[in-house]
Amino acid sequence: MPKTKKLPLNVLKLQQHPMLTALLSDEKFTQKKLPDIQFLSIEQLQCLLDSSPIPVLKSKKEGQYIALIIMPLIKIILSHNAAYKLIASLIIYDEAEPIISTLALIKPALLAPEFRSLLQQLHGRHNNAKSLNLAVPSKKQLSHLAQVSPSSIRGDKCI
């Protein structure tokens, strides 16, 4: 059974597992630049962190952990001026191989159908949130976070 641990995000030292590095070696994902997330509140950032615990192994080096999945979200959140106030949740495993295989292959395969229509879903959710009078970012802010044009987030797009 894995253990959990919480620690301040700004003191978290992560190193990518070599097996994960090899598995992802052919991927060409490059983020244009980190989106400006300064408009997000501390509560929103903490919610994002809480919903994404970081799977790791303990390292032999004190205070350092070995990441078992790539998490660009962490780098994005660290770009916020108040990131030092946030707490990260770790799930500490004993073995790397089954976790890397599950998170790098099985999970993306299960989520692929959902992501094909993500921008269309985002459009619908944004409209529904506005009709419920929820405080929501503008469509322009959402498109900035997604690094797409605002016109990409629309309901009539066939995906």
Side-chain angles (χ1 to χ4, degrees):
M1 195 64 139
K3 298 174 186 151
T4 59
K5 182 175 183 170
K6 291 186 179 256
L7 69 154
L9 182 61
N10 63 333
V11 300
L12 178 62
K13 295 177 190 164
L14 284 176
Q15 172 186 346
Q16 191 167 295
H17 194 283
M19 187 184 306
L20 181 62
T21 302
L23 183 66
L24 305 176
S25 65
D26 292 339
E27 294 186 14
K28 304 283 190 266
F29 175 79
T30 55
Q31 197 164 24
K32 300 172 199 168
K33 64 178 186 171
L34 293 178
D36 180 9
I37 61 167
Q38 300 308 314
F39 69 92
L40 297 176
S41 70
I42 290 291
E43 293 80 15
Q44 289 172 314
L45 295 169
Q46 190 61 59
C47 178
L48 290 169
L49 274 176
D50 291 344
S51 69
S52 302
I54 306 166
V56 297
L57 295 177
K58 276 190 174 181
S59 174
K60 291 177 182 171
K61 295 180 184 176
E62 184 65 32
Q64 188 165 352
Y65 296 88
I66 302 167
L68 301 177
I69 191 168
I70 55 168
M71 292 189 67
L73 180 62
I74 300 298
K75 187 175 183 181
I76 294 169
I77 290 174
L78 281 169
S79 72
H80 195 279
N81 292 338
Y84 67 92
K85 297 179 181 179
L86 301 171
I87 304 296
S89 297
L90 304 178
I91 302 175
I92 304 169
Y93 290 95
D94 295 324
E95 273 188 84
E97 188 176 330
I99 306 308
I100 290 173
S101 175
T102 300
L103 297 176
L105 297 168
I106 296 168
K107 184 177 180 182
L110 289 170
L111 295 176
E114 180 182 341
F115 284 113
R116 276 194 287 272
S117 60
L118 188 60
L119 295 175
Q120 188 176 6
Q121 290 173 352
L122 192 54
H123 170 81
R125 290 176 186 180
H126 185 262
N127 287 343
N128 290 342
K130 286 191 321 187
S131 70
L132 293 168
N133 294 318
L134 296 176
V136 294
S138 68
K139 206 178 276 189
K140 185 175 181 179
Q141 287 173 313
L142 289 174
S143 67
H144 176 72
L145 294 174
Q147 297 188 4
V148 298
S149 71
S151 64
S152 297
I153 300 175
R154 60 177 182 242
D156 60 344
K157 189 171 185 175
C158 295
I159 297 179

